[in-house]
Amino acid sequence: MKIDILTLFPSMFDGFLNESIIKRARDKKLVEIQVINFRDFSKLSNHQVDDTPYGGGGGMVLRCEPLVSAIESLRTPQSKVILMCPQGKSFKETHAKTLSLEKHLILVCGHYEGFDERIREFVDEEVSIGDYVLTGGELPAMVVTDAITRLLPGVIKKESWEQESFQENLLDYPTYTKPSDFRGLKVPEVLLSGDHAKIKEWRYQEQVKKTKEKRNDLLK
Ligand code: ADE
């Protein structure tokens, strides 16, 4: 899987790409992530990427040309181009799974007050990570990249994500580690019993209970 991220702020991705599971996945060549500054694609002498809006109004608007040139330089018939924006489809675990099967993703990070509406004609889908407005698409691009990368074969153990939240529309069951008694807070007896069938059933019941309590909407 290859992920190209188009942004005006490449250094925002330094920590994200060079720590923990994402770094390991890149080192093991399970994913190739490239961060590209689309300012380099501006044909204007000062590499300007934005301009004032037609019809007036405040703020600056991202111009089509640098972004579209960048997309066109990267795109192949196997690419899926995704624009990060608050008006997009709400990002869910099921969507992460579908996208994890793609060969090549191009994630486009908008910035400033907005972008020229015609940019929409050059992307395959639009994704939002929630109903709030961020200063740019960089954090959303990291969220989407992270959620997808951890699902790629070999990145984390399949058993880890098979049992966790949002699989089968259930939240994760509670987990505990040593000590068995922390300040009087005891680990449920069943987990110390060694009875694997009983533990499995208990975990499932806890998932249902937790989901009903916290996210009843998932059960509908
Ligand atoms: N850009 C700004 N806010 C965003 C959001 N909530 N999701 C995706 N991209 C965004």
Side-chain angles (χ1 to χ4, degrees):
M1 151 84 77
K2 187 172 176 210
I3 304 176
D4 286 322
I5 300 168
L6 296 178
T7 172
L8 290 173
F9 304 97
S11 60
M12 282 181 75
F13 292 84
D14 290 350
F16 169 64
L17 293 177
N18 294 302
E19 298 287 349
S20 186
I21 292 171
I22 302 299
K23 174 181 174 8
R24 260 200 333 261
R26 293 176 61 227
D27 289 347
K28 288 205 264 173
K29 309 263 185 281
L30 301 171
V31 64
E32 186 189 336
I33 305 172
Q34 207 184 182
V35 181
I36 296 140
N37 191 339
F38 63 84
R39 188 179 293 282
D40 298 340
F41 289 81
S42 171
K43 293 191 179 73
L44 299 184
S45 56
N46 53 0
H47 288 282
Q48 191 181 332
V49 287
D50 55 359
D51 216 323
T52 51
Y54 279 121
M60 297 290 270
V61 177
L62 282 178
R63 297 165 54 238
C64 288
E65 169 252 306
L67 256 177
V68 172
S69 300
I71 291 169
E72 286 174 345
S73 79
L74 297 164
R75 181 173 229 159
T76 72
Q78 293 188 315
S79 310
K80 177 156 259 179
V81 184
I82 302 174
L83 177 65
M84 312 313 304
C85 76
Q87 298 167 16
K89 182 177 154 194
S90 190
F91 190 61
K92 298 270 189 320
E93 185 69 18
T94 46
H95 197 186
K97 270 195 194 148
T98 311
L99 291 177
S100 74
L101 304 174
E102 295 285 342
K103 290 235 161 15
H104 180 210
L105 299 177
I106 301 173
L107 306 184
V108 180
C109 307
H111 227 277
Y112 301 157
E113 278 83 11
F115 47 82
D116 190 308
E117 186 68 16
R118 293 165 293 184
I119 286 171
R120 294 204 145 94
E121 300 297 318
F122 297 85
V123 306
D124 300 310
E125 51 182 86
E126 299 177 23
V127 166
S128 162
I129 61 159
D131 289 342
Y132 39 80
V133 180
L134 299 166
T135 55
E138 283 74 16
L139 288 170
M142 288 183 224
V143 168
V144 168
T145 301
D146 190 287
I148 292 170
T149 300
R150 63 193 291 289
L151 296 177
L152 297 176
V155 175
I156 56 174
K157 286 197 211 92
K158 194 156 186 247
E159 309 88 77
S160 308
W161 59 257
E162 265 178 353
Q163 289 167 1
E164 70 196 3
S165 294
F166 306 114
Q167 307 302 325
E168 316 292 341
N169 269 2
L170 291 174
L171 299 181
D172 203 357
Y173 54 73
T175 54
Y176 301 85
T177 187
K178 293 181 187 71
S180 62
D181 184 334
F182 178 72
R183 298 184 185 177
L185 299 167
K186 296 201 172 63
V187 171
E189 277 299 325
V190 61
L191 298 178
L192 310 174
S193 70
D195 183 336
H196 293 292
K198 242 162 87 184
I199 291 172
K200 196 170 173 202
E201 176 57 23
W202 179 84
R203 284 178 167 164
Y204 177 69
Q205 292 306 335
E206 286 295 311
Q207 281 190 282
V208 175
K209 195 169 110 192
K210 230 189 201 197
T211 312
K212 267 191 193 145
E213 274 168 22
K214 296 187 171 179
R215 289 293 306 273
N216 202 30
D217 58 299
L218 291 173
L219 297 172
K220 288 191 185 124

